[in-house]
Amino acid sequence: MQFFSTRDQNRKVTSSEAIAQGLSNEGGLFVPESFPQVDVKALCELDYPAMAAAVIKEYLTDYSQDFLTEAAHKTYGEAFGGKAGYLAPVEGDTYALELWHGPTCAFKDYALQLMPKLLVEAKKNLGRTEKTLILVATSGDTGKAALDGYHDIPGVEIAVFYPTGGTSEIQRLQMATQEGANVAVYAVRGNFDDAQTGVKKVFGDTAIAAELAKRNIRLSSANSINWGRLVPQIVYYFAAYAQLLKAGRITFGDEVDFCVPTGNFGDILAGYYAKRMGLPVGKLVCASNENNVLTDFLTTGTYTAKREFFKTTSPSMDILVSSNLERLLYHVTGSDAEVAGLMKSLAETGSYTVRPETLAAIQENFSCGWSSEEEVAGEIRVRYEKDNYLCDTHTAVAFHVAAQKKREGVPMVVLSTASPFKFPRSVLEALGRTAPENDFEAMQQLEAATAHTAPASLAALRQKPERFNTVIDPAQIAEVALGYQE
Ligand SMILES: *Cc1c(COP(=O)(O)O)cnc(C)c1O
């Protein structure tokens, strides 16, 4: 399997190169040249680690099968407490795919616990010996998941940039307390898009790349623009389907809809890949918070990033530039020139409009909706009081949209992307309580109010010393990168 750039099909790379490099040189994203067709029935009989190895090997064809099997077993066993891809019944034929049983309590662990192993192996496959410097822009969860995955990995340095005040206190502490000799964390003045734009600028700066190359350092990305981030996320769509089959809730071939709380369009795009590989996925429902740029796009065909930015209680979805949408645009149009044109328009004018045929093709697979802050809080409360199901703010965005888009007789799987204890103040307030200022007190009160237990890794943060407190401007991200020596 080869990969090429969404903006230039002539830039072909192997999967090792796609993972080591992250972004194509001219700014495009790497996409697979085809959608491998799999034996869905056989896949559904595998346990999670074996299923992961089987799906991933279809794309990472220059990795050895033994390596992938071992990496998947190491990643999705103990670290996920036996609950990798766990599907919880919620109400009727609506389910929650709980993706937060990994070490940092958000779904990003699925990719970022595996990615470091894929990167080290990619370098081996390519005979590369340079140091890899990973720069990560995060709205909260990616940063911690990447730090946890990459800390103390030989030959790798990682620097994480998060927007000041843009994360929950728990998320901030998860990052600020990170251990490891090769990690650094910076707060960046501005919002997530400012941090992401700052990081992207460094990636696109050939002078910085040349200077770092002199020191035998090469930049790489752990953001969801990296193919290595997307491919592990395809697996849990199969796992959800397999569990519905096993439980006798569907017969093989029945369609299942998925509703995904969406920011950068990575998680939901993985569902699109699963569908194109043969999984009977019906609609992929794109759920947004008040930053509903994707709802507008999927409804009208016009993407407008130039709009008011809202800070919401689901900060990991506070995004106006959804990078992975570019991959979908490529798959739907099949034209690198067209995608390059749209992205140029986005960069220069802050918006673009796709052709009516393109919009129609997208709407065949995707529907959409969004939730106001009030609706998110209401949803948390209703799900808890009616179904005894406690969910976080991001998941609640999706539950609210899922209820509107539910089709009679078609099961709906809501991707539950974070533990409710990651956002304890918002969840507590949604339940009608007055939340204390302190996140840890809120965590304890949430435990007392619901008889659920906070994940140990979150509760333990209270005792951990903070290591990082530097605040910088977006323009200083370049200086940080250039501060690394051989
Ligand atoms: C990152 C994240 C999302 C959004 O996922 P995308 O792949 O960026 O669309 C949703 N919920 C949580 C909790 C997240 O951390």
Side-chain angles (χ1 to χ4, degrees):
M1 172 79 70
Q2 294 242 302
F3 293 77
F4 50 67
S5 166
T6 47
R7 299 185 199 177
D8 182 355
Q9 288 175 16
N10 294 320
R11 292 178 188 258
K12 283 204 169 136
V13 296
T14 63
S15 55
S16 295
E17 285 167 331
I19 285 170
Q21 200 177 323
L23 207 64
S24 185
N25 288 335
E26 85 298 358
L29 309 189
F30 291 118
V31 286
E33 62 187 346
S34 63
F35 298 104
Q37 298 305 299
V38 293
D39 181 343
V40 177
K41 214 169 200 174
L43 270 183
C44 284
E45 276 153 30
L46 303 175
D47 65 12
Y48 197 94
M51 185 185 275
V55 169
I56 294 167
K57 84 166 175 25
E58 296 289 336
Y59 292 98
L60 307 193
T61 47
D62 55 333
Y63 286 68
S64 86
Q65 186 135 356
D66 286 350
F67 164 79
L68 290 175
T69 301
E70 193 187 328
H73 278 86
K74 269 194 198 148
T75 303
Y76 300 114
E78 220 171 281
F80 285 79
K83 283 195 149 182
Y86 173 69
L87 190 70
V90 176
E91 175 227 15
D93 56 353
T94 296
Y95 303 83
L97 183 58
E98 293 185 349
L99 301 174
W100 40 264
H101 295 288
T104 78
C105 308
F107 84 92
K108 293 188 171 73
D109 285 331
Y110 280 84
L112 284 164
Q113 290 290 311
L114 184 66
M115 265 277 278
K117 302 181 185 84
L118 298 181
L119 175 67
V120 169
E121 189 72 4
K123 286 167 74 178
K124 231 192 260 170
N125 291 345
L126 299 168
R128 288 195 187 154
T129 53
E130 80 277 0
K131 187 187 272 183
T132 305
L133 171 57
I134 294 175
L135 304 180
V136 183
T138 181
S139 56
D141 292 325
T142 302
K144 176 58 184 181
L147 289 164
D148 194 274
Y150 282 103
H151 77 88
D152 297 321
I153 297 280
V156 174
E157 298 274 352
I158 174 166
V160 168
F161 305 90
Y162 69 88
T164 43
T167 66
S168 81
E169 180 64 1
I170 297 282
Q171 286 178 309
R172 187 188 71 78
L173 281 171
Q174 278 188 305
M175 292 186 274
T177 60
Q178 177 66 46
E179 291 162 16
N182 64 338
V183 304
V185 178
Y186 298 88
V188 179
R189 289 184 196 94
N191 60 37
F192 170 68
D193 288 304
D194 296 320
Q196 175 156 267
T197 305
V199 167
K200 276 190 177 167
K201 240 189 211 151
V202 173
F203 279 121
D205 189 325
T206 48
I208 294 178
E211 177 53 37
L212 290 174
K214 279 189 218 156
R215 307 176 199 168
N216 201 26
I217 299 174
R218 194 191 274 256
L219 288 174
S220 186
S221 144
N223 278 100
S224 62
I225 47 177
N226 190 306
W227 177 253
R229 274 287 300 278
L230 268 178
V231 68
Q233 298 179 356
I234 299 171
V235 181
Y236 43 70
Y237 287 88
F238 286 92
Y241 197 86
Q243 286 168 83
L244 290 173
L245 268 181
K246 246 179 225 147
R249 307 303 294 257
I250 53 171
T251 45
F252 187 76
D254 287 352
E255 282 193 347
V256 173
D257 290 345
F258 290 87
C259 184
V260 188
T262 300
N264 230 349
F265 211 75
D267 209 8
I268 193 168
L269 187 67
Y272 177 77
Y273 283 104
K275 183 171 185 176
R276 297 293 302 261
M277 291 171 78
L279 188 71
V281 175
K283 284 282 186 201
L284 291 158
V285 184
C286 175
S288 298
N289 64 22
E290 289 180 352
N291 295 295
N292 52 8
V293 57
L294 285 167
T295 318
D296 286 352
F297 171 68
L298 294 168
T299 311
T300 66
T302 295
Y303 192 100
T304 314
K306 265 202 302 195
R307 56 168 68 215
E308 192 180 348
F309 176 87
F310 298 105
K311 256 188 180 181
T312 73
T313 52
S314 45
S316 300
M317 299 160 67
D318 289 346
I319 292 175
L320 294 182
V321 180
S322 263
S323 308
N324 270 298
L325 190 58
E326 180 171 346
R327 285 191 163 102
L328 179 66
L329 292 174
Y330 177 78
H331 290 309
V332 171
T333 63
S335 164
D336 52 355
E338 189 167 345
V339 173
L342 295 173
M343 292 305 125
K344 186 161 176 267
S345 167
L346 181 66
E348 287 172 1
T349 69
S351 84
Y352 62 79
T353 301
V354 297
R355 289 179 291 123
E357 307 88 275
T358 304
L359 179 62
I362 291 174
Q363 287 172 339
E364 265 175 44
N365 291 302
F366 292 86
S367 67
C368 62
W370 68 282
S371 307
S372 69
E373 286 293 90
E374 215 182 320
E375 287 165 337
V376 170
E379 194 68 29
I380 290 174
R381 187 164 182 162
V382 168
R383 289 279 79 79
Y384 183 67
E385 290 179 353
K386 208 168 123 279
D387 305 326
N388 194 26
Y389 190 79
L390 187 66
C391 72
D392 93 296
T393 44
H394 303 74
T395 307
V397 167
F399 265 124
H400 182 75
V401 173
Q404 293 160 6
K405 299 289 166 182
K406 178 76 180 68
R407 295 192 291 164
E408 184 69 33
V410 181
M412 175 68 87
V413 172
V414 170
L415 271 63
S416 176
T417 48
S419 159
F421 288 95
K422 237 180 153 166
F423 307 93
R425 296 188 67 247
S426 302
V427 174
L428 204 54
E429 276 175 5
L431 294 178
R433 317 262 171 153
T434 312
E437 271 306 304
N438 181 289
D439 265 22
F440 295 102
E441 278 160 31
M443 212 186 271
Q444 285 173 341
Q445 289 187 19
L446 188 57
E447 287 184 311
T450 63
H452 284 64
T453 310
S457 64
L458 297 184
L461 283 174
R462 202 170 190 172
Q463 271 72 47
K464 278 191 148 185
E466 283 187 48
R467 294 183 65 202
F468 302 102
N469 58 14
T470 309
V471 184
I472 62 171
D473 288 316
Q476 289 175 283
I477 294 174
E479 285 164 43
V480 170
L482 287 168
Y484 284 86
Q485 302 301 328
E486 189 162 357

